[in-house]
Amino acid sequence: MDSLIVNSGRPLAGEITVQGSKNSSLPILAATVLVGGVCQIHNCPDLTDTQAAIAILRHLGCKVKTGKNTVTVDSSDVSCYNIPDSLMREMRSSIVFLGSVLGRTGKAELSAPGGCEIGLRPIDLHLSSLRVMGCRIEEDYGHIRCERVKENRTSVISLSFPSVGATENIILAAALSKGRTVIHNAAREPEIYDLVAFLNECGCKISFRMQGTVVIEGVKKLHGCRYSVMADRIVALTYMTGAAVAGGDITLHGVNTNHFRTVIPVFEAAGCCVEDRKSLLRIRSDKRLRAVRDIRTMPYPGFPTDAQAPVMAMLSVAEGTSVIIENIFESRFKHVSELSRMGAKIKIEGKIALIDGVRELYGTSVTASDLRGGAALVVAGLAAKGSTVIENISHIDRGYEKIEDCFKILGADIKRVN
Ligand code: EPZ
């Protein structure tokens, strides 16, 4: 089992190009199942989660070749529609294959992903939407059998919550259908736009209407394409929090700064200087951070829940009391206990975290409990006196491509040991 050892004391400096987005590459890899041809996906991050998605593609009959951040998928011969539990368990977001396998074969059998460290992660919105689209769905003992039994001319779905995964599954199941599918209150995360851009590049007819409405005109056939995945906005945010706590001046390339509109004000309120120029973000921090009140996680374009843990680590050494309200997941504060072991003063009242900033944290051994919580411990290590040893970093490897290498390029004292 690998661990990371982080020492503070050095300001961050330098420039990096941010990796491709995990949360965009996963639905796009699943979407290749629909194409029935060859797709070249560039800027695909090499993560344990993308490796799990590739294993599922191969199980389904796709031929997959991988290169440096390029994945070539030939889905001409997708032969099966069931995904075994062993592959589903590798990554809970494998549920996104439900829509693409169903869209390609008319059937899908897989196990429900179940909960994870940050919450129960129900899929009721996914399943109720597929039923509206004419699917028969049987569920027993965590196993889902889904079959399209009716071809609606038009299906209209109104999501009670703009679920990212449900929006993705509906789009994937509708892309090759015979009719039109309309989603109201769809998720508007940038990763949804990236998935739709990929699908339209393959010949789909998907359009965005006013606030959160998506219209999918089903088409008969798709063709392969070359596509480059967007940069990972949460990974970029994580490096920003690192520079904020360690001090310094870093520049992040390859990003779309429109994706940071509700986040940059938080860094500026904390006392950082952020310069955004279309595809690059520069952040400078040269004094003790200030507390930030009333950060509320919300569906996009609100403050992203995935940034909550790294930003909490950043604010744990700010002057004053910060308030973070986690509105999206019901148990996404597991990193608080580990931050407290490092001397952070954080109180949790339901979905509200009160962070009394301390002058500095102290290094100790801590354990990552989930992906973003683990990344938060790296950020905290950059602000701690002495060494911080982070165990269970397989969680971090799910979403960060060699996190230690990137932070090292930026001047951090961090290494991976096993
Ligand atoms: C995606 O998860 C992301 N994962 C998450 O990133 C991200 O935190 C989340 O969207 C919100 O932005 C991927 O894209 C692979 P949701 P997803 O469906 O699709 C409730 C990371 O760290 N809900 O928008 O699962 C659900 O319980 C990960 O990279 C239902 O109630 O998110 C949650 O409270 C973590 N019923 C809320 O909606 C449903 O059928 C948001 O879930 C579906 C969701």
Side-chain angles (χ1 to χ4, degrees), residues 329-358:
F329 288 107
E330 67 272 23
S331 57
R332 197 166 200 175
F333 284 141
K334 292 242 173 22
H335 45 283
V336 170
S337 57
E338 297 304 285
L339 291 174
S340 307
R341 282 167 48 77
M342 298 176 71
K345 297 260 174 297
I346 303 168
K347 212 161 73 178
I348 302 296
E349 303 266 340
K351 60 183 191 174
I352 299 171
L354 295 169
I355 303 118
D356 279 330
V358 294

mmCIF file of all heavy atoms in Angstrom, residues 329-358:
data_model
loop_
_atom_site.group_PDB
_atom_site.id
_atom_site.type_symbol
_atom_site.label_atom_id
_atom_site.label_comp_id
_atom_site.label_asym_id
_atom_site.label_seq_id
_atom_site.Cartn_x
_atom_site.Cartn_y
_atom_site.Cartn_z
ATOM 1 N N PHE A 329 -24.028 16.109 -0.725
ATOM 2 C CA PHE A 329 -23.902 14.738 -0.199
ATOM 3 C C PHE A 329 -24.090 14.747 1.315
ATOM 4 O O PHE A 329 -23.619 15.658 1.998
ATOM 5 C CB PHE A 329 -22.532 14.149 -0.573
ATOM 6 C CG PHE A 329 -22.423 13.803 -2.033
ATOM 7 C CD1 PHE A 329 -21.662 14.576 -2.894
ATOM 8 C CD2 PHE A 329 -23.122 12.717 -2.549
ATOM 9 C CE1 PHE A 329 -21.586 14.278 -4.243
ATOM 10 C CE2 PHE A 329 -23.044 12.406 -3.906
ATOM 11 C CZ PHE A 329 -22.274 13.193 -4.750
ATOM 12 N N GLU A 330 -24.726 13.671 1.792
ATOM 13 C CA GLU A 330 -25.119 13.679 3.217
ATOM 14 C C GLU A 330 -23.985 13.306 4.162
ATOM 15 O O GLU A 330 -24.073 13.529 5.355
ATOM 16 C CB GLU A 330 -26.306 12.744 3.436
ATOM 17 C CG GLU A 330 -26.052 11.261 3.245
ATOM 18 C CD GLU A 330 -26.244 10.804 1.792
ATOM 19 O OE1 GLU A 330 -26.149 11.652 0.881
ATOM 20 O OE2 GLU A 330 -26.465 9.611 1.595
ATOM 21 N N SER A 331 -22.900 12.716 3.671
ATOM 22 C CA SER A 331 -21.808 12.439 4.636
ATOM 23 C C SER A 331 -20.454 12.708 3.999
ATOM 24 O O SER A 331 -19.620 11.822 3.883
ATOM 25 C CB SER A 331 -21.898 11.008 5.164
ATOM 26 O OG SER A 331 -21.868 10.115 4.089
ATOM 27 N N ARG A 332 -20.282 13.944 3.592
ATOM 28 C CA ARG A 332 -19.046 14.304 2.905
ATOM 29 C C ARG A 332 -18.122 15.121 3.821
ATOM 30 O O ARG A 332 -17.446 16.037 3.390
ATOM 31 C CB ARG A 332 -19.354 15.069 1.614
ATOM 32 C CG ARG A 332 -18.155 15.079 0.690
ATOM 33 C CD ARG A 332 -18.436 15.497 -0.716
ATOM 34 N NE ARG A 332 -17.363 15.031 -1.581
ATOM 35 C CZ ARG A 332 -17.339 15.149 -2.891
ATOM 36 N NH1 ARG A 332 -18.346 15.745 -3.513
ATOM 37 N NH2 ARG A 332 -16.338 14.683 -3.602
ATOM 38 N N PHE A 333 -18.087 14.725 5.106
ATOM 39 C CA PHE A 333 -17.189 15.411 6.037
ATOM 40 C C PHE A 333 -16.203 14.438 6.674
ATOM 41 O O PHE A 333 -15.637 14.721 7.735
ATOM 42 C CB PHE A 333 -18.003 16.103 7.139
ATOM 43 C CG PHE A 333 -18.691 17.380 6.715
ATOM 44 C CD1 PHE A 333 -19.964 17.677 7.174
ATOM 45 C CD2 PHE A 333 -18.083 18.299 5.849
ATOM 46 C CE1 PHE A 333 -20.610 18.863 6.797
ATOM 47 C CE2 PHE A 333 -18.717 19.471 5.467
ATOM 48 C CZ PHE A 333 -19.990 19.758 5.942
ATOM 49 N N LYS A 334 -15.983 13.284 6.041
ATOM 50 C CA LYS A 334 -15.130 12.251 6.662
ATOM 51 C C LYS A 334 -13.689 12.744 6.830
ATOM 52 O O LYS A 334 -12.945 12.266 7.661
ATOM 53 C CB LYS A 334 -15.139 10.981 5.812
ATOM 54 C CG LYS A 334 -16.477 10.257 5.799
ATOM 55 C CD LYS A 334 -16.362 8.871 6.377
ATOM 56 C CE LYS A 334 -17.655 8.109 6.563
ATOM 57 N NZ LYS A 334 -18.812 8.502 5.780
ATOM 58 N N HIS A 335 -13.281 13.738 6.041
ATOM 59 C CA HIS A 335 -11.903 14.247 6.153
ATOM 60 C C HIS A 335 -11.719 15.106 7.400
ATOM 61 O O HIS A 335 -10.605 15.384 7.821
ATOM 62 C CB HIS A 335 -11.561 15.081 4.901
ATOM 63 C CG HIS A 335 -12.648 16.040 4.505
ATOM 64 N ND1 HIS A 335 -13.793 15.614 3.851
ATOM 65 C CD2 HIS A 335 -12.807 17.362 4.720
ATOM 66 C CE1 HIS A 335 -14.596 16.652 3.658
ATOM 67 N NE2 HIS A 335 -14.037 17.725 4.182
ATOM 68 N N VAL A 336 -12.839 15.508 8.039
ATOM 69 C CA VAL A 336 -12.730 16.435 9.195
ATOM 70 C C VAL A 336 -11.983 15.765 10.349
ATOM 71 O O VAL A 336 -11.108 16.380 10.987
ATOM 72 C CB VAL A 336 -14.129 16.901 9.630
ATOM 73 C CG1 VAL A 336 -14.068 17.653 10.949
ATOM 74 C CG2 VAL A 336 -14.760 17.764 8.549
ATOM 75 N N SER A 337 -12.257 14.472 10.560
ATOM 76 C CA SER A 337 -11.593 13.800 11.704
ATOM 77 C C SER A 337 -10.076 13.785 11.488
ATOM 78 O O SER A 337 -9.290 14.029 12.410
ATOM 79 C CB SER A 337 -12.121 12.374 11.853
ATOM 80 O OG SER A 337 -11.906 11.661 10.641
ATOM 81 N N GLU A 338 -9.658 13.563 10.271
ATOM 82 C CA GLU A 338 -8.210 13.510 9.981
ATOM 83 C C GLU A 338 -7.601 14.910 10.049
ATOM 84 O O GLU A 338 -6.496 15.087 10.573
ATOM 85 C CB GLU A 338 -7.955 12.866 8.617
ATOM 86 C CG GLU A 338 -8.416 11.420 8.520
ATOM 87 C CD GLU A 338 -7.807 10.520 9.597
ATOM 88 O OE1 GLU A 338 -6.626 10.177 9.485
ATOM 89 O OE2 GLU A 338 -8.516 10.214 10.582
ATOM 90 N N LEU A 339 -8.315 15.896 9.550
ATOM 91 C CA LEU A 339 -7.793 17.285 9.666
ATOM 92 C C LEU A 339 -7.682 17.671 11.146
ATOM 93 O O LEU A 339 -6.721 18.339 11.557
ATOM 94 C CB LEU A 339 -8.703 18.259 8.921
ATOM 95 C CG LEU A 339 -8.721 18.155 7.389
ATOM 96 C CD1 LEU A 339 -9.789 19.083 6.781
ATOM 97 C CD2 LEU A 339 -7.347 18.495 6.804
ATOM 98 N N SER A 340 -8.634 17.202 11.945
ATOM 99 C CA SER A 340 -8.589 17.524 13.392
ATOM 100 C C SER A 340 -7.365 16.877 14.039
ATOM 101 O O SER A 340 -6.732 17.464 14.924
ATOM 102 C CB SER A 340 -9.868 17.045 14.077
ATOM 103 O OG SER A 340 -10.983 17.573 13.381
ATOM 104 N N ARG A 341 -6.990 15.695 13.581
ATOM 105 C CA ARG A 341 -5.791 15.042 14.132
ATOM 106 C C ARG A 341 -4.542 15.889 13.822
ATOM 107 O O ARG A 341 -3.527 15.799 14.499
ATOM 108 C CB ARG A 341 -5.598 13.654 13.507
ATOM 109 C CG ARG A 341 -6.506 12.571 14.068
ATOM 110 C CD ARG A 341 -6.492 11.328 13.198
ATOM 111 N NE ARG A 341 -5.150 10.903 12.840
ATOM 112 C CZ ARG A 341 -4.319 10.271 13.648
ATOM 113 N NH1 ARG A 341 -4.699 10.015 14.878
ATOM 114 N NH2 ARG A 341 -3.110 9.906 13.262
ATOM 115 N N MET A 342 -4.653 16.729 12.800
ATOM 116 C CA MET A 342 -3.518 17.605 12.435
ATOM 117 C C MET A 342 -3.626 18.953 13.129
ATOM 118 O O MET A 342 -2.845 19.864 12.851
ATOM 119 C CB MET A 342 -3.464 17.783 10.912
ATOM 120 C CG MET A 342 -3.240 16.493 10.160
ATOM 121 S SD MET A 342 -3.303 16.724 8.367
ATOM 122 C CE MET A 342 -1.777 17.621 8.086
ATOM 123 N N GLY A 343 -4.630 19.064 14.046
ATOM 124 C CA GLY A 343 -4.741 20.306 14.820
ATOM 125 C C GLY A 343 -5.780 21.273 14.315
ATOM 126 O O GLY A 343 -5.935 22.369 14.864
ATOM 127 N N ALA A 344 -6.530 20.872 13.263
ATOM 128 C CA ALA A 344 -7.578 21.782 12.773
ATOM 129 C C ALA A 344 -8.707 21.857 13.800
ATOM 130 O O ALA A 344 -8.969 20.886 14.531
ATOM 131 C CB ALA A 344 -8.126 21.290 11.439
ATOM 132 N N LYS A 345 -9.326 23.040 13.873
ATOM 133 C CA LYS A 345 -10.443 23.223 14.822
ATOM 134 C C LYS A 345 -11.727 23.354 13.998
ATOM 135 O O LYS A 345 -12.058 24.424 13.488
ATOM 136 C CB LYS A 345 -10.219 24.514 15.623
ATOM 137 C CG LYS A 345 -8.964 24.499 16.492
ATOM 138 C CD LYS A 345 -9.301 24.196 17.949
ATOM 139 C CE LYS A 345 -8.063 24.034 18.821
ATOM 140 N NZ LYS A 345 -7.234 22.867 18.384
ATOM 141 N N ILE A 346 -12.397 22.204 13.796
ATOM 142 C CA ILE A 346 -13.582 22.182 12.926
ATOM 143 C C ILE A 346 -14.739 21.547 13.689
ATOM 144 O O ILE A 346 -14.577 20.483 14.295
ATOM 145 C CB ILE A 346 -13.292 21.369 11.644
ATOM 146 C CG1 ILE A 346 -12.085 21.947 10.907
ATOM 147 C CG2 ILE A 346 -14.527 21.345 10.730
ATOM 148 C CD1 ILE A 346 -11.545 21.058 9.792
ATOM 149 N N LYS A 347 -15.881 22.213 13.661
ATOM 150 C CA LYS A 347 -17.071 21.672 14.314
ATOM 151 C C LYS A 347 -18.119 21.402 13.250
ATOM 152 O O LYS A 347 -18.314 22.218 12.343
ATOM 153 C CB LYS A 347 -17.597 22.712 15.323
ATOM 154 C CG LYS A 347 -18.265 22.074 16.549
ATOM 155 C CD LYS A 347 -18.365 23.021 17.711
ATOM 156 C CE LYS A 347 -19.457 24.072 17.413
ATOM 157 N NZ LYS A 347 -19.639 25.000 18.504
ATOM 158 N N ILE A 348 -18.759 20.246 13.332
ATOM 159 C CA ILE A 348 -19.786 19.880 12.350
ATOM 160 C C ILE A 348 -21.151 19.924 13.023
ATOM 161 O O ILE A 348 -21.361 19.344 14.081
ATOM 162 C CB ILE A 348 -19.546 18.471 11.785
ATOM 163 C CG1 ILE A 348 -18.176 18.384 11.128
ATOM 164 C CG2 ILE A 348 -20.644 18.080 10.792
ATOM 165 C CD1 ILE A 348 -17.995 19.278 9.924
ATOM 166 N N GLU A 349 -22.060 20.678 12.416
ATOM 167 C CA GLU A 349 -23.458 20.685 12.890
ATOM 168 C C GLU A 349 -24.320 20.304 11.697
ATOM 169 O O GLU A 349 -24.632 21.176 10.856
ATOM 170 C CB GLU A 349 -23.851 22.106 13.349
ATOM 171 C CG GLU A 349 -22.984 22.692 14.429
ATOM 172 C CD GLU A 349 -23.579 22.425 15.805
ATOM 173 O OE1 GLU A 349 -24.784 22.139 15.869
ATOM 174 O OE2 GLU A 349 -22.820 22.452 16.782
ATOM 175 N N GLY A 350 -24.606 18.996 11.542
ATOM 176 C CA GLY A 350 -25.405 18.563 10.394
ATOM 177 C C GLY A 350 -24.642 18.765 9.108
ATOM 178 O O GLY A 350 -23.556 18.226 8.929
ATOM 179 N N LYS A 351 -25.160 19.621 8.227
ATOM 180 C CA LYS A 351 -24.444 19.811 6.960
ATOM 181 C C LYS A 351 -23.576 21.069 6.984
ATOM 182 O O LYS A 351 -23.062 21.505 5.955
ATOM 183 C CB LYS A 351 -25.446 19.848 5.816
ATOM 184 C CG LYS A 351 -26.494 20.924 5.865
ATOM 185 C CD LYS A 351 -27.431 20.756 4.682
ATOM 186 C CE LYS A 351 -28.346 21.958 4.522
ATOM 187 N NZ LYS A 351 -29.155 21.869 3.298
ATOM 188 N N ILE A 352 -23.430 21.636 8.213
ATOM 189 C CA ILE A 352 -22.649 22.866 8.349
ATOM 190 C C ILE A 352 -21.320 22.570 9.030
ATOM 191 O O ILE A 352 -21.277 21.856 10.047
ATOM 192 C CB ILE A 352 -23.428 23.912 9.190
ATOM 193 C CG1 ILE A 352 -24.745 24.267 8.492
ATOM 194 C CG2 ILE A 352 -22.577 25.174 9.396
ATOM 195 C CD1 ILE A 352 -25.672 25.117 9.329
ATOM 196 N N ALA A 353 -20.230 23.064 8.449
ATOM 197 C CA ALA A 353 -18.904 22.923 9.076
ATOM 198 C C ALA A 353 -18.440 24.310 9.493
ATOM 199 O O ALA A 353 -18.440 25.238 8.668
ATOM 200 C CB ALA A 353 -17.912 22.314 8.087
ATOM 201 N N LEU A 354 -18.077 24.443 10.773
ATOM 202 C CA LEU A 354 -17.527 25.717 11.275
ATOM 203 C C LEU A 354 -16.027 25.498 11.427
ATOM 204 O O LEU A 354 -15.603 24.625 12.185
ATOM 205 C CB LEU A 354 -18.157 26.067 12.625
ATOM 206 C CG LEU A 354 -19.666 26.365 12.618
ATOM 207 C CD1 LEU A 354 -20.209 26.437 14.048
ATOM 208 C CD2 LEU A 354 -19.951 27.648 11.863
ATOM 209 N N ILE A 355 -15.235 26.275 10.713
ATOM 210 C CA ILE A 355 -13.780 26.064 10.732
ATOM 211 C C ILE A 355 -13.115 27.241 11.434
ATOM 212 O O ILE A 355 -13.074 28.354 10.884
ATOM 213 C CB ILE A 355 -13.243 25.939 9.292
ATOM 214 C CG1 ILE A 355 -13.969 24.795 8.541
ATOM 215 C CG2 ILE A 355 -11.738 25.696 9.280
ATOM 216 C CD1 ILE A 355 -14.747 25.228 7.344
ATOM 217 N N ASP A 356 -12.638 27.023 12.659
ATOM 218 C CA ASP A 356 -11.895 28.084 13.376
ATOM 219 C C ASP A 356 -10.441 27.992 12.939
ATOM 220 O O ASP A 356 -9.739 27.060 13.334
ATOM 221 C CB ASP A 356 -11.996 27.849 14.901
ATOM 222 C CG ASP A 356 -13.317 28.383 15.441
ATOM 223 O OD1 ASP A 356 -13.808 29.373 14.840
ATOM 224 O OD2 ASP A 356 -13.868 27.803 16.381
ATOM 225 N N GLY A 357 -9.998 28.935 12.133
ATOM 226 C CA GLY A 357 -8.635 28.848 11.602
ATOM 227 C C GLY A 357 -7.581 28.855 12.703
ATOM 228 O O GLY A 357 -7.697 29.595 13.670
ATOM 229 N N VAL A 358 -6.567 28.000 12.542
ATOM 230 C CA VAL A 358 -5.429 27.973 13.486
ATOM 231 C C VAL A 358 -4.202 28.503 12.755
ATOM 232 O O VAL A 358 -4.182 28.572 11.526
ATOM 233 C CB VAL A 358 -5.170 26.535 14.000
ATOM 234 C CG1 VAL A 358 -6.335 26.050 14.853
ATOM 235 C CG2 VAL A 358 -4.918 25.573 12.838
#
